[in-house]
Amino acid sequence: MPSDHSSSSHSSSSSDYSSGGSNSGFSGGSSGGGDHESYNDNDSIDINNQSIFPFHIQGILWFVGIIALFVVILLKVNIKDELNKSSNTDNVVIYETVNDTGNSGPVNTAGTTTGTAYVSTRSFKKYSPGYGIVHDHIYVPEIGRECTYDANSDNYYDKDTDCYFWLNNNVTPPIWQYWYQGISSDYGDYGWMEYDYDKQCWFIETEKGKWEELPSYYNTDKLWHMDKPTQGRYYGQDSIYVPALGRECPYKEYISCYVDEETHTYFYYNTYLRPAQWLYWYEDYGWLMYDSQNAKWYRLDEYLSGVKWVEMPSDWNDPKVWHLDSN
């Protein structure tokens, strides 16, 4: 059984990092330097006597002035937020707020719509391509079979090769990591492995954050690895024609999805299923999947040990919802 997931990667840890500069202290002035005039109590009394308002009235006026300044600053911040929300930008930001009862809050799609929707309690990004897998099974072309999700280890598992694996989306770009019994188990609390697609060799984590090329005395003939993580394109196309809409929808790199701005729909091609499937994000429903063979819609739901797809009611029909045929 593998230990906790490794959030690091040999591809990311190999890059150099700098501290960004020295930690110099604050040098806003000298301590005790400069010439100072002596304090005169009589001068202070004369100033107070010559003031229009008594001393306690001055204190109240200062207090009111500070409160007024604070209110002005808050108003400016709110105005700036509203301008950012209403500005026409190409950057789609999708987030949600979850309340204490566990029910989902409104989902705001800044830059695309001012409407709100209720979806499952996880964010859009979590289930976008390259960020997460949304099924309890996954097809592995390298070994020609499906592997199931193991809730105890929070990994996918292949029994024949005794291999646990998961998509590490804590690094950029995301990368698959593997834990092979008989190799990974030699490294105690570590031992997660990665396949370097450029060098065409295996790396293994020997210490926390330390990745080394797998020693040559290990037999790698029976080791398999996934292809590079899919980014949701349909056979590499940068745009796709949707017959139900009668128009082309472009692919947006920053969210790894195709987008139809008129219906505020985000969709991508999930090649980790057999057969591959189109997944759709609608602001009123969250993630949806269409079963072309049985003409049924399914909605993504979640439970403690993973995710599941719930069939929509047989009489459900929303004219705004469209789909592509999967193949």
Side-chain angles (χ1 to χ4, degrees), residues 55-71:
F55 183 78
H56 67 281
I57 298 298
Q58 293 181 45
I60 295 175
L61 292 175
W62 273 105
F63 179 78
V64 172
I66 293 173
I67 294 297
L69 180 62
F70 184 72
V71 171

Side-chain angles (χ1 to χ4, degrees), residues 18-19 84 108 164 205 214:
S18 63
S19 59
N84 288 337
N108 300 304
Y164 295 86
E205 189 179 28
L214 186 68

Side-chain angles (χ1 to χ4, degrees), residues 82-92 110-113 261:
E82 291 300 322
L83 289 174
N84 288 337
K85 289 179 182 179
S86 60
S87 62
N88 186 14
T89 176
D90 193 40
N91 293 326
V92 179
T112 56
T113 178
E261 295 181 353

Side-chain angles (χ1 to χ4, degrees), residues 260-275:
D260 179 57
E261 295 181 353
E262 293 189 27
T263 58
H264 307 304
T265 310
Y266 309 88
F267 57 105
Y268 74 92
Y269 199 58
N270 190 333
T271 57
Y272 292 126
L273 300 178
R274 203 66 170 177

Side-chain angles (χ1 to χ4, degrees), residues 20 24 36-37 39 45 59 65 141 193 214 216 223 233 275 300 310:
S24 59
H36 301 278
E37 295 182 359
Y39 179 76
I45 294 173
M193 300 170 57
L214 186 68
S216 58
L223 302 185
R233 282 186 173 90
L300 180 65
V310 179

Side-chain angles (χ1 to χ4, degrees), residues 94-96 98 107 119-128 281 287 300 302:
I94 300 180
Y95 62 94
E96 62 184 291
V98 181
V107 174
V119 297
S120 61
T121 57
R122 297 297 179 91
S123 67
F124 165 86
K125 182 177 179 180
K126 178 178 173 63
Y127 295 118
S128 296
W281 191 90
W287 285 106
L300 180 65
E302 299 184 63

